Amino acid sequence: MKPIRIALLDDHAVVRHGLANTLAAEAGFEVVGIYERSRDLISGLPSAPADLLLLDFSLSPDELDGVSLIRALRVKFPNCHILVLSAHHDPATVGLAMRVGARGFVGKGEDMSHLVQAIRKVASGAVYLSTSMTYRLAETVTSDTRKDSGETPDALLQAELTSREQEVIRCYLAGMTVSEIADKFNRSIKTISTQKTSAFRKLGVTSNNELFKLNKIISPP
């Protein structure tokens, strides 16, 4: 299995090199770039491609802001998955980062095992938020905040669900049962259950409640 290629961006040298050393020692990880400035990351990625970009959301004042940086990276490197690691992880910041294209968010105060888990999930195409972060966002993010933030990516499209998996999840979110969905699309209950399970894995959720919370946070209004 190919290692997950990771590029790091953080303007604090201790954090940057500490992360690089820790992640490089993790099985299945390869740190391919360590950057202090966003322009160096953007210029370095073509020659040192990465599967996952691990970014600090709040860099120095003369740098691109987190929103502009994520948007630029999504345009220039659409195949790279973006995971934000930041000391600023209030619900507004997390929600904004997710809405403009990040696939996950980890607070710098969280345990390293959570960061490792987040990297593996996001690199696989899933969306990652800790359970506590998901609930905090669901309680504070309103429809007005979502409208003010600009372009909002669809969580189902971001997670690269198949068309049939999207059908199942959208129907499920609309309140339909597995049996009703099976009848609607003339598929077996077993097939619908399998498609639902696959979609859950790609979205990085493990329960019905997590699915509804995630949908509320990062799907279009």
Side-chain angles (χ1 to χ4, degrees):
M1 182 180 296
K2 292 183 179 179
I4 299 170
R5 299 171 299 175
I6 303 167
L8 306 173
L9 173 65
D10 196 292
D11 57 350
H12 292 92
V14 172
V15 174
R16 193 166 61 245
H17 292 289
L19 280 172
N21 291 335
T22 301
L23 295 178
E26 188 72 26
F29 288 178
E30 179 184 0
V31 178
V32 296
I34 307 170
Y35 303 97
E36 178 182 3
R37 305 185 69 83
S38 58
R39 63 171 176 263
D40 296 331
L41 169 69
I42 292 171
S43 63
L45 281 173
S47 58
D51 303 305
L52 181 136
L53 309 179
L54 184 59
L55 314 175
D56 190 350
F57 193 75
S58 301
L59 300 170
S60 58
D62 61 334
E63 279 280 357
L64 285 173
D65 63 273
V67 170
S68 298
L69 176 59
I70 291 172
R71 283 178 169 158
L73 291 169
R74 291 287 293 160
V75 171
K76 292 178 178 293
F77 308 101
N79 294 325
C80 291
H81 301 305
I82 297 173
L83 174 63
V84 175
L85 176 67
S86 180
H88 304 285
H89 49 87
D90 56 279
T93 300
V94 177
L96 182 56
M98 297 296 288
R99 289 193 298 272
V100 297
R103 303 295 294 271
F105 201 111
V106 179
K108 284 187 175 177
E110 293 189 45
D111 190 83
M112 181 59 69
S113 63
H114 294 167
L115 176 59
V116 170
Q117 179 187 16
I119 290 172
R120 295 192 189 282
K121 277 198 169 186
V122 171
S124 73
V127 175
Y128 178 88
L129 288 174
S130 67
T131 301
S132 61
M133 195 174 285
T134 299
Y135 277 87
R136 287 174 62 204
L137 278 167
E139 291 170 356
T140 58
V141 176
T142 65
S143 60
D144 287 340
T145 302
R146 288 195 292 271
K147 291 176 182 177
D148 290 341
S149 69
E151 186 176 356
T152 304
D154 188 322
L156 304 189
L157 295 177
Q158 274 201 343
E160 299 175 357
L161 271 61
T162 67
S163 59
R164 293 198 169 190
E165 289 168 350
Q166 289 185 43
E167 288 173 344
V168 170
I169 293 300
R170 292 190 193 282
C171 288
Y172 193 73
L173 288 169
M176 296 177 66
T177 66
V178 170
S179 297
E180 290 170 339
I181 299 170
D183 289 339
K184 176 180 176 66
F185 295 111
N186 195 28
R187 302 174 203 161
S188 69
I189 291 176
K190 181 179 180 181
T191 296
I192 296 298
S193 296
T194 299
Q195 290 166 343
K196 178 186 170 186
T197 299
S198 176
F200 269 40
R201 177 182 57 79
K202 292 178 181 179
L203 287 166
V205 299
T206 57
S207 68
N208 297 339
N209 200 34
E210 286 184 10
L211 173 67
F212 284 102
K213 295 287 187 182
L214 182 64
N215 184 67
K216 180 179 178 181
I217 295 164
I218 60 176
S219 65

